[in-house]
Amino acid sequence: MRFVILGGLLLSLTASLAPSAALGDPQTARITASFDGDWRFCKADAAGAEKPDFDDAAWRRLDVPHDWSIEGPFDRDHPTGRGGAYLPAGVGWYRKHFTLPAAYAGRRVFVDFDGVMAHSDIWINGHHLGNRPFGYVSFRYELTGHLNFGPTTPNLIAVRADNSAQPASRWYSGAGIYRHVRLVVADPVHIAHWGVYVSTPSVDSARAVVRVQTTVVNQSDEPRHINLHTVLEAPDGRVVATAETPQDIAAGTTQQFQQDIAVAQPQLWDLEQPNLYRAVSKILADASVIDDEITPFGIRHFTFEADTGFWLNGKNLKIKGVCLHHDAGGLGAAVPARAWQRRLEGLRQIGCNAVRTAHNPAAPEFLDLCDRMGFLVMDEVLDAWTVGKNHADYGYQRIFGQWWRADTRDTVLRDRNHPCIILYSAGNEIRDNLDSEHGFETFTAMRDLFHELDPTRPVTMGLFRPNQGRVYDNGFAELMDVIGQNYREAELVAAHRARPERKVIGTENGHDRRVWLVLRDQPFMAGQFLWTGIDYLGEADWPRIAWANAPIDRTGRIRPLGYQRQSWWSATPMVHIARRESASGGASGRIGGGEIVSHWTPRDPDTYDEALIEVYSNCEQVELVLNETSLGAKPRPADDAPRNWELTYVPGTLRALGRNQDRLVATHEIRTAGEPVAVRLTADRATLRNDWDDISCVTATIVDENGVCCPWADDLVSFTLSGPGAIAAVDNGDPASHESFQQPRRRAYHGQCLVVIRAGAVEGQIVLNATAPDRKPDSLTIDIAATETRD
């Protein structure tokens, strides 16, 4: 297992794998090596490219993960349409040349792909290994028997990814080998792929029982006598328990082991202290370790109760969740772990504690982060069964019958050791008839497969208009371990009141206050998942190319909507001022109309007179102060409505002061911006590692002479780098911008844009310069430090 330190967070990059070793070290029991580097790529269909003697000298050289669709350009006529953000689709080929030491000849060799979008075909030295149409699923192929060994006999692995049949997705999916790849070399007697399953059938503060179920495969021609040795390590690395099980295993067979191991005074995994243990599994034969694997896990206990909702380790809490798609704006679908860490930090700030992986399996490192940061996860597998949806004519419905079982199986086996996962979802807004034998049989088969592979977690799905499908009357709802419904919260409340033994959760919900109050005020409601937590590419009509109604935009900026959510979800004292840019119109439960902004700079100050202010806060009292003149204080409304003021606009400074028990606990101020004069750079991290999964996100802000952001500035900001680094992407969050994410320039949107920097060497300094016409430029330095790892 290899861990990398990103921003102080210990992150597993190869979950449930053996300790990393150099590819050339044949003495290591199990070798797991990154296979990401030095691929050759062609964005076209290339006849014969699977053959070793195919000439790829002119192909582009790159490392994966790689999403070629995000490179653009945007075009209204691209067949991906609104779902694919009008970005290109087609066929892409990847080829990798490599050699293997002669000492590997007697071992088993595998290649692991975390995700290839989509309809992938893979060959090794001209031999076809297989096809996986679903681009979100992780999979393994065995290469043994088709390899050359020694320094003078190279091998060739070829990958063809085809997403040319469009439209195939209702949101941006990406294209190519967009997740990590690894090469695994093991003894013929080894732990099976995803063959360690750790659960905690008994947990309390004094003692926990950790059940380790291990599948061992003997691919040799001889019977072997082995000893399975399992060590449990505490979060600080101390050995807390061990177990040994001897066993004879016949040639060509698979053996199942179960070890129940007691742990005294366990450190529980929860949202505040997400403690992680490690199960170190070793297979010994003749006193030598012939295979090993490390599996992180958490000790925790959770239940869903019909009358009180969700409980974790004996504590009743509300699931305050968001739905997330898998792209990261300008980075596309190939998302570094640090990008997800930064996004999860933003969600944590507004009080979020859970994520629904909408509507497909997430990258393994995303689940690693949720484990380590203390987020709950609804692990969703599919968006469709046999009936398709609008704007996804070539979606999963075309392969459901052939592939749902394999895709579900592989997802559960891969993910079931993650303590963050509390629910599996068998589908989202399924359009198959759930008032039919087909609907009942399909869900039952999927639910039973989930339970067979992982009996510790309940199964749900995001129901679509259940009253129309008679789901609450025909018995279908009773098939679900936890009833999940998208929107129409009153229907779900009524369904529970009709049958109080039902366990219920909102699987997709809007941002309105009335929706929040359903969760807040109904003890039986386990939680909700907002649509969506962060803006994403796709699901927008031209000229827009992105969904842009989330609490957080693509660049990580928190919108007023997010601060309002923070006032409801977070226990940390906070206050935030928002303003209606227009005084016209109106909205339910709010004053005024127009765009809600978080600045004190009207677009047209000469005509802007009446300012309609909304203050979001969880404090007992909030006082508003304009240019040192108090406008009075207001208590927190019982219905969590914002505190509203109407005042005559005067430039200057507007401050909100939040108090609890007459003590100042939170403040926020906004100032009127003057004329734009400069570009200002701020980096979220000043130190980088030379690791694909590590990035620094640098915000370029157009400011006035006092450093105040000019929110209406749209200057074109150009970036240059010196030193061993590269620009991974640029973005600004504008849902209608057709600028390239790959060019070293971007227009400011609401006064800001983002540039993402990646290191290109093990040490050194990167200097980033930013310029804009008629603006004072800025620069900053990012240091490259040695990658911190832990085995």
Side-chain angles (χ1 to χ4, degrees):
M1 167 84 60
R2 175 167 173 260
F3 297 91
V4 63
I5 311 296
L6 293 180
L9 184 70
L10 184 67
L11 173 64
S12 162
L13 294 184
T14 52
S16 303
L17 293 171
S20 288
L23 186 57
D25 181 6
Q27 305 305 315
T28 305
R30 174 181 289 218
I31 298 164
T32 301
S34 171
F35 218 45
D36 289 345
D38 198 22
W39 289 77
R40 301 188 181 211
F41 171 70
C42 175
K43 190 170 68 173
D45 207 356
E50 76 279 7
K51 300 176 182 177
D53 59 357
F54 181 88
D55 184 6
D56 59 14
W59 286 19
R60 176 179 165 193
R61 300 186 71 162
L62 51 76
D63 297 339
V64 300
H66 170 241
D67 173 9
W68 63 260
S69 183
I70 200 65
E71 298 171 2
F74 295 101
D75 190 321
R76 186 174 187 173
D77 293 329
H78 277 150
T80 54
R82 72 187 305 271
Y86 303 95
L87 285 163
V91 175
W93 277 89
Y94 297 82
R95 287 165 53 94
K96 181 178 175 71
H97 304 263
F98 64 101
T99 59
L100 294 173
Y104 288 0
R107 309 187 75 180
R108 314 300 292 196
V109 183
F110 308 88
V111 63
D112 290 348
F113 289 88
D114 284 344
V116 182
M117 189 64 67
H119 294 277
S120 64
D121 285 279
I122 299 177
W123 293 262
I124 181 69
N125 294 327
H127 173 78
H128 186 241
L129 296 170
N131 166 267
R132 289 304 289 259
F134 192 37
Y136 296 103
V137 75
S138 299
F139 55 91
R140 164 177 285 187
Y141 289 121
E142 183 164 5
L143 309 183
T144 312
H146 309 290
L147 293 168
N148 304 312
F149 297 95
T152 61
T153 52
N155 298 278
L156 184 283
I157 188 166
V159 178
R160 182 181 185 270
D162 181 4
N163 72 342
S164 55
Q166 294 290 339
S169 176
R170 299 184 299 117
W171 60 89
Y172 178 76
S173 64
I177 307 177
Y178 72 107
R179 292 180 180 169
H180 289 293
V181 187
R182 291 171 299 280
L183 193 73
V184 179
V185 183
D187 189 90
V189 179
H190 58 269
I191 298 167
H193 191 214
W194 301 318
V196 177
Y197 173 34
V198 183
S199 58
T200 52
S202 175
V203 177
D204 61 40
S205 59
R207 182 179 182 272
V209 174
V210 177
R211 177 167 294 163
V212 184
Q213 296 169 270
T214 308
T215 303
V216 178
V217 180
N218 182 358
Q219 289 187 281
S220 74
D221 297 329
E222 302 288 338
R224 300 288 293 272
H225 179 77
I226 63 171
N227 193 327
L228 176 63
H229 181 75
T230 301
V231 174
L232 301 187
E233 295 179 352
D236 62 3
R238 291 179 299 109
V239 173
V240 294
T242 62
E244 288 194 20
T245 305
Q247 184 71 48
D248 293 324
I249 181 168
T253 65
T254 297
Q255 185 72 44
Q256 306 288 336
F257 293 77
Q258 178 171 308
Q259 298 167 315
D260 286 355
I261 309 171
V263 175
Q265 285 80 49
Q267 300 176 58
L268 301 186
W269 185 96
D270 61 27
L271 304 187
E272 290 75 33
Q273 293 183 303
N275 295 303
L276 288 178
Y277 287 73
R278 303 201 304 174
V280 181
S281 306
K282 296 182 180 181
I283 300 176
L284 289 84
D286 300 324
S288 297
V289 177
I290 61 173
D291 194 36
D292 55 353
E293 186 164 323
I294 297 175
T295 306
F297 69 96
I299 298 177
R300 49 77 173 126
H301 173 69
F302 72 87
T303 61
F304 287 85
E305 301 296 339
D307 56 344
T308 54
F310 181 72
W311 293 76
L312 178 63
N313 299 328
K315 180 181 178 181
N316 190 206
L317 59 88
K318 293 292 189 181
I319 296 172
K320 302 170 183 176
V322 300
C323 303
L324 290 180
H325 279 317
H326 73 299
D327 76 274
L331 290 163
V335 185
R338 168 57 195 164
W340 278 123
Q341 181 186 0
R342 178 175 180 261
R343 288 175 157 226
L344 289 170
E345 289 168 351
L347 289 168
R348 172 63 49 79
Q349 180 181 338
I350 67 171
C352 174
N353 64 17
V355 173
R356 175 190 181 198
T357 63
H359 304 290
N360 46 259
E365 58 270 21
F366 176 83
L367 298 176
D368 289 342
L369 281 164
C370 291
D371 286 344
R372 297 180 182 281
M373 296 178 70
F375 280 85
L376 306 171
V377 172
M378 179 194 297
D379 196 3
E380 191 157 68
V381 180
L382 302 174
D383 186 49
W385 293 353
T386 66
V387 178
K389 299 177 181 178
N390 291 336
H391 311 293
D393 298 349
Y394 295 90
Y396 197 85
Q397 70 274 10
R398 291 177 174 260
I399 61 171
F400 178 87
Q402 180 181 357
W403 284 102
W404 78 262
R405 188 173 294 274
D407 291 339
T408 302
R409 174 190 177 277
D410 287 349
T411 299
V412 175
L413 292 180
R414 187 198 71 171
D415 294 351
R416 61 187 179 175
N417 291 316
H418 288 281
C420 64
I421 295 173
I422 56 167
L423 277 169
Y424 291 118
S425 172
N428 170 64
E429 296 186 351
I430 296 302
R431 305 305 169 88
D432 295 58
N433 184 3
L434 303 184
D435 190 22
S436 69
E437 184 179 359
H438 160 75
F440 274 63
E441 290 180 348
T442 300
F443 180 81
T444 300
M446 295 187 72
R447 181 203 63 196
D448 290 351
L449 180 59
F450 280 113
H451 287 170
E452 174 191 340
L453 300 171
D454 181 4
T456 72
R457 293 176 174 92
V459 180
T460 188
M461 63 187 291
L463 290 172
F464 176 68
R465 300 176 184 174
N467 281 356
Q468 292 184 13
R470 301 186 62 250
V471 167
Y472 293 136
D473 302 321
N474 64 10
F476 186 93
E478 277 52 59
L479 300 176
M480 304 167 68
D481 300 323
V482 177
I483 298 172
Q485 178 177 321
N486 289 8
Y487 307 105
R488 302 189 179 204
E489 292 77 18
E491 289 184 13
L492 187 57
V493 169
H496 179 272
R497 288 176 175 165
R499 299 281 299 271
E501 70 274 15
R502 288 169 167 166
K503 303 172 183 179
V504 297
I505 190 169
T507 42
E508 190 169 312
N509 302 92
H511 300 273
D512 291 350
R513 181 163 46 89
R514 61 173 179 78
V515 175
W516 154 242
L517 293 177
V518 171
L519 176 61
R520 190 196 72 172
D521 297 340
Q522 305 295 340
F524 58 81
M525 189 69 69
Q528 292 177 343
F529 290 87
L530 302 179
W531 191 265
T532 176
I534 302 175
D535 289 354
Y536 57 92
L537 297 173
E539 205 160 3
D541 292 318
W542 188 269
R544 297 169 72 91
I545 49 85
W547 178 277
N549 299 297
I552 300 177
D553 79 0
R554 299 196 311 261
T555 69
R557 278 184 288 185
I558 300 177
R559 291 192 173 97
L561 185 68
Y563 289 108
Q564 182 178 50
R565 182 61 51 172
Q566 183 183 14
S567 74
W568 300 335
W569 276 3
S570 178
T572 302
M574 60 80 62
V575 63
H576 188 86
I577 305 168
R579 174 180 65 83
R580 292 280 173 175
E581 178 59 22
S582 170
S584 62
S588 177
R590 295 175 173 175
I591 60 171
E595 181 183 8
I596 303 177
V597 298
S598 290
H599 57 76
W600 196 230
T601 309
R603 185 184 292 272
D604 185 358
D606 293 334
T607 61
Y608 187 81
D609 182 35
E610 184 184 20
L612 306 180
I613 304 299
E614 298 185 0
V615 178
Y616 312 129
S617 179
N618 53 17
C619 297
E620 296 169 1
Q621 292 281 334
V622 171
E623 180 184 8
L624 195 65
V625 179
L626 176 60
N627 294 335
E628 306 307 322
T629 298
S630 176
L631 303 179
K634 296 187 178 185
R636 182 176 184 177
D639 62 356
D640 275 345
R643 277 160 265 203
N644 300 318
W645 278 264
E646 299 184 31
L647 56 132
T648 301
Y649 169 73
V650 178
T653 301
L654 188 64
R655 287 189 299 144
L657 309 175
R659 294 184 174 89
N660 287 336
Q661 298 179 346
D662 296 324
R663 185 170 63 89
L664 184 65
V665 292
T667 64
H668 179 232
E669 88 172 25
I670 53 179
R671 293 190 288 166
T672 306
E675 292 299 316
V677 299
V679 180
R680 183 182 64 193
L681 295 177
T682 53
D684 69 332
R685 300 173 66 236
T687 302
L688 276 179
R689 315 290 176 188
N690 184 31
D691 190 300
W692 187 91
D693 274 297
D694 200 10
I695 56 173
S696 179
C697 294
V698 181
T699 301
T701 305
I702 307 300
V703 299
D704 69 4
E705 61 182 0
N706 296 312
V708 178
C709 174
C710 300
W712 307 115
D714 62 354
D715 301 58
L716 180 63
V717 183
S718 297
F719 303 101
T720 58
L721 281 183
S722 61
I727 294 176
V730 295
D731 202 348
N732 62 7
D734 183 354
S737 173
H738 302 155
E739 299 169 275
S740 170
F741 295 124
Q742 307 293 310
Q743 296 299 317
R745 65 189 68 88
R746 192 75 174 186
R747 286 202 172 275
Y749 180 64
H750 294 315
Q752 294 183 334
C753 59
L754 186 77
V755 57
V756 181
I757 306 300
R758 177 178 283 128
V762 296
E763 60 182 12
Q765 288 188 329
I766 303 168
V767 178
L768 172 67
N769 297 281
T771 61
D774 301 319
R775 307 286 182 252
K776 182 181 177 180
D778 198 11
S779 65
L780 59 75
T781 300
I782 298 172
D783 294 320
I784 304 173
T787 301
E788 300 176 47
T789 62
R790 168 187 162 189
D791 290 335

